[in-house]
């Protein structure tokens, strides 16, 4: 009987976890300061700034494989579609290497930042586009914009 009760609670937990994903397959809305991960072409809604973000493509992946000794770390560049509810969508490219370009974009008093691009290459060779995952986070900006 205790075993059946444990199984019942397992189904409740599974149902609760499934509730974290919206009905249309979009992940639950990440809160500011929380990391979230998007698969290629996946979209997330950032409720704090009434904006949706979609992972469009990896436009560059020249990151040095972990099994190789390189003179430069390389760069991974992720193209995102950023669509505020009250404005036209834009495309922004975020970089894993700050020497190659910005790792974040300012949006309504917040900064959307690329934290990681996975998988990280072990050896030279192509990574299938469907395998890429972009880890991002929305952070409240403490400093005023310098525009």
């Amino acid at each position: 009987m205790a075993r059946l009760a444990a199984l019942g609670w397992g189904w409740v937990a599974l149902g609760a976890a499934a509730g974290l994903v919206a009905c249309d397959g979009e992940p639950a809305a990440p809160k500011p300061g929380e990391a979230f991960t998007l698969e290629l072409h996946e979209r997330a809604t950032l409720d704090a700034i009434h904006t949706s973000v979609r992972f469009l493509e990896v436009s560059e992946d020249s990151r040095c494989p972990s099994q190789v000794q390189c003179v430069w770390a390389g760069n991974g560049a992720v193209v995102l579609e950023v669509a505020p509810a009250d404005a036209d969508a834009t495309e922004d490219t975020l970089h894993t290497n700050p020497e190659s370009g910005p790792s974040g974009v300012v949006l309504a008093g917040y900064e959307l930042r690329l934290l990681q691009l996975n998988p990280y290459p072990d050896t030279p060779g192509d990574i299938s586009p469907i395998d890429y995952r972009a880890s991002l986070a929305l952070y409240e900006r403490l400093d005023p914009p310098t525009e």
Side-chain angles (χ1 to χ4, degrees):
M1 188 64 147
R3 182 178 173 104
L4 286 176
L7 286 174
W9 283 110
W11 284 109
V12 170
L14 180 62
L20 293 175
V21 176
C23 294
D24 63 0
E26 189 173 305
K31 294 177 178 43
E34 290 180 352
F36 63 98
T37 301
L38 295 178
E39 296 178 5
L40 193 63
H41 304 296
E42 188 175 17
R43 180 184 311 273
T45 300
L46 307 174
D47 288 340
I49 57 172
H50 309 289
T51 299
S52 70
V53 177
R54 186 165 61 113
F55 178 13
L56 295 179
E57 68 175 323
V58 174
S59 61
E60 175 188 355
D61 193 355
S62 62
R63 297 172 296 166
C64 180
S66 58
Q67 302 292 325
V68 176
Q69 186 173 356
C70 302
V71 295
W72 187 61
N75 181 53
V78 172
V79 180
L80 303 174
E81 176 189 71
V82 178
D86 61 350
D88 292 335
T90 60
E91 288 185 8
D92 291 286
T93 303
L94 304 182
H95 300 264
T96 60
N97 185 336
E99 294 178 13
S100 297
S103 63
V105 60
V106 176
L107 305 166
Y110 288 82
E111 181 180 4
L112 178 65
R113 196 175 309 154
L114 176 64
L115 303 177
Q116 285 185 316
L117 176 60
N118 288 310
Y120 194 90
D122 286 326
T123 58
D126 292 332
I127 295 173
S128 173
I130 63 169
D131 291 334
Y132 280 114
R133 305 289 182 268
S135 294
L136 305 151
L138 184 68
Y139 295 104
E140 192 168 2
R141 285 179 53 98
L142 301 177
D143 56 329
T146 57
E147 300 171 55

